[in-house]
Amino acid sequence: MTTHSQAKVQASVLALLPLIVFLAIFLGSGIYHTIIGTEFAFYQVKAPIAALPAIILAILLYRGKINAAIETFLHGASHPNLILMFMVFMLAGAFASVTSAIGSVDSTVQFGLSIIPSEFVLPMLFIISAFIATAMGTSMGTIAACAPIAFGFSQATDIQPIYAIGAVVSGAMFGDNLSMISDTTIAATRSLNVELRDKFRVNIWIALPAAIITILIYILTSHHAQTIEYKNYNLWLILPYVIVFFLAFTRLHVLAVLTIGIVLSGCLGIIENPEFTLLKYNTAIYDGFVGMFEVALLSMFLGGLSAIMQKEGGLEWLIQRIYALTRRFKIGQQRAGEIGISFLVVFSNVFVANNTVAIILSGDMAREVAKEYAVDPKRAAAFMDIFSCVVQGLIPYGAQLLLACSIAKLSPVELIGSIYYCWVLAIFAVLAIVFRFPKLKIT
């Protein structure tokens, strides 16, 4: 198969060595700290620091002058898509931080408790977690907010903690996968150059049936529970989530949507909570920036690294290997491409234990594979996000399971089997590839 990229660069496996170094440092550190019993073992070495030796190696291996290699790196790191991604990460972090500071998360949880019958505790935990994660755009923040409540439910009922916590993690991964302001959604759509709403329209047809099946499982296995009291809540504080969710479906730029959300949240906080001053508003915004800085910086580092690998033929070599693997099976060109893209993100996520990092890491390769195999970029973005969600929700050394288990004093390995949504989502995603579903005409 002849490609445009083959005409420009010569495929070289050596060009992938910097990527292997990055994975080795990140994975090696995680394994080492796991062995010695460190909490959050895979997060002891920060990903941007692990990327630095890989960047230096890529520059040294560059077939040309060092100055030219540095220019190539800077060109990749300063790509308009990456700058936009950086800005969106910052604003999404600020929005999540401000809404949390004004009490929107607490109000949302208590609102859910007030309208859902107590006998449906497990479905309730899934739905509340899903809504909060969709609104906040973060599975970690959702688990931190809901896992203590779920653990409390398990203490007040005959529900085992493993099922209650599993429902929270399941809902958090569902919302994180679909949220318009999730860093995984942003990374996937920017990597494939598609609109948020178009990726959502593909994603929803796969994720929603999986969520419905998961809820049915919880209903069928639900336990009777005593009436659970809820605290007073302020319905106005849920408004920022609702506004941002609906604005995301308009043609308004994502930066404008997030800015409106931040301003609206701040105004509501000042009006509804006398203790929330302008100074605290300022601090909340900055805390949100700080919380997203690591992944934003890493996206720029890996963007520059990918530019060098692409110019040196590393991505071309990988695409050729994927083609050689998939051509053996008579499954159609587009199916082969979608399987290849899914494999890329699964492989990356298993090694880096971070779904956003995995998408950023495999983004350039996925874009080239999509072009090579005539895969609709909207489907490619959806499958990247979906499979990163599946893996992240099931790896026992991922931050989501580690956080949930630290709250409920459970073993991450023990919890994996109770995260029903991720298992069901994986099945629906594979079926979507095999049967070319959904068949949407998206302009």
Side-chain angles (χ1 to χ4, degrees):
M1 174 178 273
T2 303
T3 67
H4 296 293
S5 54
Q6 283 175 315
K8 295 179 181 179
V9 297
Q10 182 179 358
S12 171
V13 65
L14 187 63
L16 292 176
L17 186 58
L19 176 59
I20 296 172
V21 168
F22 168 70
L23 294 176
I25 295 173
F26 199 86
L27 181 64
S29 168
I31 293 175
Y32 170 75
H33 284 284
T34 298
I35 293 174
I36 65 175
T38 307
E39 291 188 0
F40 293 92
F42 280 79
Y43 296 85
Q44 295 303 306
V45 172
K46 302 302 182 184
I49 304 303
L52 289 177
I55 294 170
I56 294 172
L57 179 60
I59 292 174
L60 293 176
L61 291 177
Y62 188 82
R63 290 174 290 188
K65 296 181 179 180
I66 289 182
N67 286 358
I70 294 174
E71 288 297 326
T72 300
F73 172 82
L74 292 175
H75 180 74
S78 61
H79 191 281
N81 281 341
L82 282 174
I83 298 300
L84 175 59
M85 191 185 299
F86 189 101
M87 292 295 298
V88 174
F89 281 148
M90 292 291 104
L91 291 180
F95 175 72
S97 178
V98 173
T99 51
S100 178
I102 66 175
S104 292
V105 176
D106 292 336
S107 291
T108 302
V109 171
Q110 299 306 323
F111 172 71
L113 296 178
S114 69
I115 63 174
I116 301 175
S118 58
E119 59 266 25
F120 297 116
V121 173
L122 292 179
M124 174 191 69
L125 289 173
F126 177 85
I127 292 171
I128 291 177
S129 300
F131 178 80
I132 293 176
T134 303
M136 291 180 64
T138 167
S139 55
M140 287 292 288
T142 300
I143 292 171
C146 296
I149 296 174
F151 187 65
F153 287 166
S154 69
Q155 300 300 300
T157 67
D158 60 347
I159 297 175
Q160 295 183 27
I162 192 171
Y163 297 117
I165 299 298
V168 167
V169 175
S170 291
M173 299 314 296
F174 169 80
D176 192 16
N177 177 219
L178 283 182
S179 175
M180 292 292 189
I181 62 171
S182 167
D183 45 4
T184 57
T185 297
I186 295 163
T189 53
R190 297 319 308 169
S191 295
L192 275 297
N193 295 323
V194 300
E195 295 292 333
L196 291 169
R197 60 182 178 276
D198 288 340
K199 178 262 184 188
F200 180 89
R201 289 167 183 163
V202 176
N203 209 154
I204 190 67
W205 285 99
I206 302 171
L208 187 58
I212 292 173
I213 295 297
T214 302
I215 292 172
L216 290 176
I217 293 174
Y218 285 132
I219 290 176
L220 293 174
T221 59
S222 185
H223 299 66
H224 292 291
Q226 64 188 50
T227 301
I228 302 168
E229 296 183 1
Y230 61 89
K231 300 176 184 178
N232 292 330
Y233 59 89
N234 188 334
L235 199 60
W236 285 106
L237 295 181
I238 304 175
L239 186 60
Y241 293 148
V242 178
I243 295 296
V244 167
F245 184 78
F246 283 104
L247 283 179
F249 286 93
T250 68
R251 293 191 175 274
L252 192 62
H253 198 285
V254 62
L255 295 181
V257 172
L258 289 171
T259 301
I260 291 172
I262 294 169
V263 173
L264 177 61
S265 301
C267 292
L268 281 174
I270 292 172
I271 294 171
E272 298 293 327
N273 185 358
E275 296 181 358
F276 187 78
T277 62
L278 283 174
L279 188 58
K280 289 185 177 180
Y281 183 33
N282 161 81
T283 303
I285 292 176
Y286 186 74
D287 287 344
F289 289 165
V290 172
M292 283 291 189
F293 180 73
E294 180 180 340
V295 69
L297 179 62
L298 180 64
S299 68
M300 299 185 73
F301 278 178
L302 294 183
L305 186 62
S306 294
I308 295 179
M309 290 194 303
Q310 186 167 8
K311 193 164 185 178
E312 289 294 283
L315 301 187
E316 179 59 34
W317 182 89
L318 194 59
I319 291 171
Q320 289 178 7
R321 299 288 79 73
I322 292 173
Y323 176 66
L325 180 65
T326 55
R327 69 183 298 186
R328 299 176 185 176
F329 307 97
K330 296 181 179 180
I331 55 177
Q333 183 186 30
Q334 292 180 337
R335 289 189 183 93
E338 290 173 358
I339 290 173
I341 290 170
S342 302
F343 174 79
L344 281 174
V345 77
V346 167
F347 171 81
S348 300
N349 211 144
V350 166
F351 280 95
V352 302
N354 185 304
N355 45 351
T356 306
V357 174
I359 292 173
I360 295 171
L361 189 62
S362 54
D364 283 345
M365 302 179 220
R367 187 168 59 250
E368 292 298 320
V369 172
K371 186 186 302 181
E372 183 75 18
Y373 288 81
V375 175
D376 188 330
K378 306 172 189 66
R379 285 178 63 87
F383 284 124
M384 285 187 72
D385 202 350
I386 286 171
F387 279 101
S388 70
C389 165
V390 168
V391 175
Q392 189 66 26
L394 295 178
I395 52 176
Y397 48 87
Q400 283 78 0
L401 265 66
L402 292 174
L403 175 61
C405 290
S406 67
I407 293 172
K409 308 301 180 185
L410 296 171
S411 164
V413 176
E414 183 184 14
L415 184 62
I416 292 173
S418 301
I419 306 175
Y420 301 138
Y421 173 72
C422 288
W423 294 106
V424 176
L425 179 62
I427 294 172
F428 273 90
V430 171
L431 292 176
I433 293 176
V434 173
F435 294 104
R436 302 291 303 150
F437 178 83
K439 299 182 184 298
L440 300 177
K441 294 181 180 180
I442 303 175
T443 57

